[in-house]
């Protein structure tokens, strides 16, 4: 089965593990957010692409939710002791990937080409695509100023309330090679349980990706990132409250107007199912917490079957 999955890093990457455990990984294409990308210590870092690469390769630190398992921090300690930039923590193992990516980009390769090589080197059969090869950066406007994503998220611990999200460069950004093909060839499109504003939003801000979803001939199923109207981790609930006016599953569905046919929501949010249905989106209620491999797989199966079951 051919499946295209729009994804961010943390929850999206875990969900992708469930998807590739359920269908042939070679039939899966992950279209990944690059709005969080940044340069640190002269290195090009793509946190969500790396989250997906590490998760699918079984290298991710599941507890921390980002970076690699069994990480050490010697290089960072040296950076810190020398007065270098240490707010964004790059571990020793993680650094190796950023070195390879940075060199390839400096040699003129595109982000999608480098990512394909990294995925192959990690033995992955799944296609991993940045949403775009062009610069697209998420900015948050807050009462305390405007910050790029990682300044807001990491350096300021996403404490500043967000009044507006902007996707700098999105209007000129073209989908990376392979993205539109993956969407056109897919028998099913999934939107992972990632933050709608800062993980999925930047992908949908690429006009031709949004248009491909609007004109889809196959079902598109989103998975809500909320459980009991709260985020499992991160700022999704606060952002939904401020930017959509609430944290029900219906508010999640409203983030994807005309783009989804079904929404998978948690049992704790079952009371929201009718409001989701009123939006013309089929609700599918199940357990969505991905605490282990069996739970990841069960959630992926629910999403893959959401339309068939309805
Ligand atoms: N998140 C943090 O909260 N603090 C960090 O120091 C940090 C470093 C980091 C390094 C590499 C990487 O791939 C991700 C990293 N993240 C860190 C996570 C990242 O900021 C976000 O989780 C994602 O961008 C959101 O999807």
């Amino acid at each position: 089965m051919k499946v295209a999955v729009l994804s961010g890093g943390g929850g999206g990457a875990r969900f992708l593990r469930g998807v590739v455990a359920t269908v042939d990984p070679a039939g899966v294409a992950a279209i990944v957010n690059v709005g969080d990308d940044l340069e640190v210590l002269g290195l090009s870092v793509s946190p969500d692409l790396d989250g997906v690469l590490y998760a699918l390769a079984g290298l991710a630190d599941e507890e921390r939710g980002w970076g690699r398992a069994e990480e050490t921090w010697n290089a960072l300690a040296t950076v810190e002791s020398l007065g270098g930039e240490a707010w964004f923590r790059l571990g020793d193992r993680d650094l190796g990937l950023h070195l390879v990516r940075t060199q390839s980009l400096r040699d003129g390769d595109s982000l999608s080409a480098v990512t394909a090589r990294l995925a192959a080197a990690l033995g992955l059969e799944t296609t991993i695509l940045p949403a775009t090869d062009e610069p697209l950066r998420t900015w948050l406007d807050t009462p305390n100023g405007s910050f790029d994503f990682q300044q807001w998220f990491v350096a300021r611990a996403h404490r500043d309330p967000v009044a507006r999200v902007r996707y700098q460069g999105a209007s000129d950004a073209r989908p990376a090679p392979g993205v539109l093909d993956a969407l056109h060839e897919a028998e099913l499109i999934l939107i992972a349980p990632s933050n709608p504003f800062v993980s999925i939003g930047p992908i949908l801000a690429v006009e031709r990706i949004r248009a491909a979803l609007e004109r889809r001939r196959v079902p598109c199923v989103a998975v809500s990132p909320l459980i009991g109207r709260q985020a499992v981790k991160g700022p999704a609930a606060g952002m939904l409250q401020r930017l959509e006016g609430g944290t029900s599953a219906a508010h999640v569905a409203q983030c994807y107007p005309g783009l989804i046919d079904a929404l998978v929501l948690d049992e704790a949010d079952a009371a929201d199912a009718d409001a989701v249905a009123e939006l013309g989106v089929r609700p599918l209620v199940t357990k969505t917490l991905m605490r282990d491999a069996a739970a990841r797989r069960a959630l992926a199966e629910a999403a893959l079957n959401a339309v068939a079951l309805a």
Side-chain angles (χ1 to χ4, degrees), residues 131-191:
T132 178
D133 277 337
E134 283 146 39
L136 187 170
R137 297 291 175 264
T138 301
W139 281 79
L140 295 306
D141 294 342
T142 83
N144 305 319
S146 292
F147 306 102
D148 67 43
F149 177 80
Q150 300 294 357
Q151 278 294 332
W152 174 73
F153 188 84
V154 174
R156 299 178 67 87
H158 51 78
R159 276 194 216 98
D160 309 278
V162 175
R164 188 170 163 228
V165 186
R166 287 180 290 118
Y167 308 109
Q168 190 181 66
S171 55
D172 297 325
R174 292 166 298 175
V179 168
L180 294 181
D181 287 343
L183 289 171
H184 292 142
E185 287 164 15
E187 293 156 71
L188 178 67
I189 301 169
L190 298 176
I191 298 181

Side-chain angles (χ1 to χ4, degrees), residues 186-202:
E187 293 156 71
L188 178 67
I189 301 169
L190 298 176
I191 298 181
S194 300
N195 184 309
F197 304 101
V198 293
S199 297
I200 305 299

Side-chain angles (χ1 to χ4, degrees), residues 9 36 47-48 50 66 87-90 94 149-150 153-154:
D36 306 3
D48 283 4
D50 297 346
W66 53 267
W87 63 275
F88 196 81
R89 296 165 57 211
L90 298 179
D94 192 26
F149 177 80
Q150 300 294 357
F153 188 84
V154 174

Side-chain angles (χ1 to χ4, degrees), residues 33 83 129 154 165 211 268 285 300:
N33 173 39
L129 302 163
V154 174
V165 186
V285 179

Side-chain angles (χ1 to χ4, degrees), residues 3-6 183 186-192 200 204 209-210 212-223 256 258-264 280-282 303-304 306-307:
V3 185
V5 187
L6 274 53
L183 289 171
E187 293 156 71
L188 178 67
I189 301 169
L190 298 176
I191 298 181
I200 305 299
L204 296 174
I209 298 182
R210 178 177 283 270
L213 247 71
E214 283 169 348
R215 295 189 203 125
R216 70 195 178 281
R217 300 224 179 99
V218 297
C220 179
V221 178
V223 181
Y256 303 123
L259 300 177
I260 59 171
D261 304 289
L263 181 75
V264 177
V281 173
R282 236 177 259 279
L304 289 159
V307 174

Side-chain angles (χ1 to χ4, degrees), residues 41 43 71-86 88-96 98-99:
L41 297 164
L43 299 176
E71 188 58 280
T72 54
W73 307 92
N74 298 303
L76 189 74
T78 304
V79 168
E80 208 160 13
S81 70
L82 297 174
E85 193 184 3
F88 196 81
R89 296 165 57 211
L90 298 179
D92 299 331
R93 291 175 191 272
D94 192 26
L95 268 169
H98 305 311
L99 290 168

